Amino acid sequence: MKNLGYYNGKTGLISEISVPITDRAFYFGDGVYDAVMCRNNIPYLLWEHIDRLYNNCTLLGIKPPMCKNELSLTIKELVRKVEGEEKFVYFHISRGSGIRNHSFTNGEGNLCIMIKPQPLDNVYEKMNTVLKEDIRYELCNIKTLNLLPSVLTAQSATENGCEEAILHRNGTVTECSHSNVSILKNGTLITAPCDRFILPGVTRAHLLTVAHENGINTEERKYTVEELLDADEIIVTSSSKMARGVKTVDGKAVGGKDECTLSILRDTLYINYLNATNI
Ligand code: PLP
């Protein structure tokens, strides 16, 4: 198949699968999602993403329609049906269905999965970014379907010919519209702490692990826009980007002063992805 959509057990091309208007994802964005890259039919770090999805379900009181193992097996089975060496696998669980009413519905959530061919970003290409105010609310640690502020900031990146929007709250850098962001300064990797203002990215966690394994100092602390612009390197991380350097912020050249540490981090993450043999 060219791509695949799945909704509560029904499968077909993405364009053929429809969702009933009673699904709370439709009118409240009441659900959580996750996404992984898949190479040679191995969904990369699937278990970590499933773990985060189920933690998010618990935080919001959503009842998944199947256990983690079953979801893992379902995804592994479905990716085999889609053509291509590299694919993007998106999955979400909404709270369930009912006539529109803010209070929770009873019953199990609805599971939706979408799989499409998609190559990983070129990790060696540094990206252009814009700086935007972080206008999201305070549950950024939960990967919810409510993404309007991220959509708006991502769109402004696109309109400016950029790939990402780096977000800040009153001058403190948080993350990007759909990635985490870290900086290198004097050989130290600095990244915002896991609080309610950032998503605890799976790739961000791996970046920290790789830094530790390579003797690179790390600091999980708040940092400012000033520090961002003055950083030796800026690194954007996500499952579909791995770790990529940044070359401009709002059209001004940034980083480019510690290619060596950047390449250790970026290349190790990339090689780990290429060498993944198990899930
Ligand atoms: N931050 C936000 C807001 C995201 O949407 C994402 C990915 O979708 C990330 C960070 C990166 O998370 P991960 O590395 O788990 O893909």
Side-chain angles (χ1 to χ4, degrees):
M1 295 175 77
K2 294 226 166 314
N3 60 51
L4 184 145
Y6 167 106
Y7 183 74
N8 286 348
K10 261 192 228 152
T11 57
L13 289 171
I14 290 174
S15 56
E16 288 167 355
I17 299 294
S18 54
V19 173
I21 59 170
T22 47
D23 190 318
R24 290 175 65 94
F26 174 63
Y27 47 76
F28 287 134
D30 188 358
V32 290
Y33 77 104
D34 223 294
V36 295
M37 283 300 295
C38 175
R39 190 168 173 277
N40 296 332
N41 290 330
I42 299 172
Y44 188 54
L45 303 175
L46 180 60
W47 198 253
E48 290 172 51
H49 288 269
I50 287 183
D51 233 18
R52 180 170 65 190
L53 182 78
Y54 279 66
N55 285 340
N56 286 335
C57 282
T58 304
L59 287 168
L60 296 180
I62 291 172
K63 298 185 197 88
M66 58 178 71
C67 71
K68 289 186 198 179
N69 254 329
E70 207 178 332
L71 177 58
S72 168
L73 291 173
T74 302
I75 289 174
K76 286 177 201 168
E77 199 182 300
L78 294 179
V79 292
R80 296 190 170 276
K81 297 183 193 279
V82 178
E83 298 157 17
E85 186 186 328
E86 283 188 302
K87 300 160 211 173
F88 184 74
V89 183
Y90 167 93
F91 40 105
H92 84 219
I93 299 178
S94 75
R95 187 180 302 282
S97 306
I99 301 294
R100 188 176 182 280
N101 178 6
H102 283 66
S103 303
F104 292 1
T105 41
N106 293 319
E108 285 180 347
N110 298 313
L111 173 63
C112 172
I113 303 173
M114 284 184 266
I115 304 171
K116 58 171 185 170
Q118 181 178 308
L120 186 79
D121 279 18
N122 177 359
V123 297
Y124 298 108
E125 196 185 327
K126 285 192 167 183
M127 67 174 80
N128 297 310
T129 64
V130 290
L131 188 64
K132 295 302 267 180
E133 213 174 300
D134 193 341
I135 53 170
R136 300 172 302 166
Y137 57 91
E138 294 188 7
L139 291 178
C140 307
N141 55 315
I142 303 178
K143 209 163 164 58
T144 81
L145 300 176
N146 291 115
L147 289 175
L148 194 51
S150 309
V151 166
L152 296 175
T153 50
Q155 177 62 17
S156 89
T158 303
E159 283 168 9
N160 285 285
C162 294
E163 283 183 64
E164 252 300 14
I166 300 178
L167 309 177
H168 71 92
R169 282 183 197 262
N170 299 319
T172 298
V173 177
T174 51
E175 56 178 341
C176 299
S177 53
H178 41 83
S179 330
N180 291 111
V181 61
S182 309
I183 56 172
L184 286 172
K185 189 68 186 175
N186 300 327
T188 296
L189 176 72
I190 302 164
T191 196
C194 284
D195 54 17
R196 63 189 192 281
F197 297 114
I198 73 156
L199 183 80
V202 169
T203 323
R204 171 192 174 279
H206 280 257
L207 185 76
L208 286 167
T209 304
V210 168
H212 294 148
E213 287 169 355
N214 285 277
I216 297 165
N217 285 335
T218 64
E219 286 176 17
E220 288 181 72
R221 65 158 172 86
K222 292 186 189 299
Y223 63 93
T224 63
V225 167
E226 225 170 30
E227 287 180 278
L228 175 90
L229 299 176
D230 185 45
D232 294 339
E233 298 291 346
I234 301 175
I235 307 174
V236 169
T237 54
S238 78
S239 297
S240 59
K241 295 183 184 69
M242 294 293 143
R244 285 182 56 195
V246 172
K247 66 178 173 207
T248 64
V249 175
D250 285 342
K252 291 181 209 92
V254 290
K257 289 177 240 144
D258 193 356
E259 295 281 351
C260 177
T261 313
L262 170 64
S263 69
I264 292 170
L265 295 168
R266 178 195 59 209
D267 297 1
T268 311
L269 258 77
Y270 186 41
I271 288 164
N272 289 347
Y273 165 73
L274 295 180
N275 287 342
T277 52
N278 220 329
I279 304 166

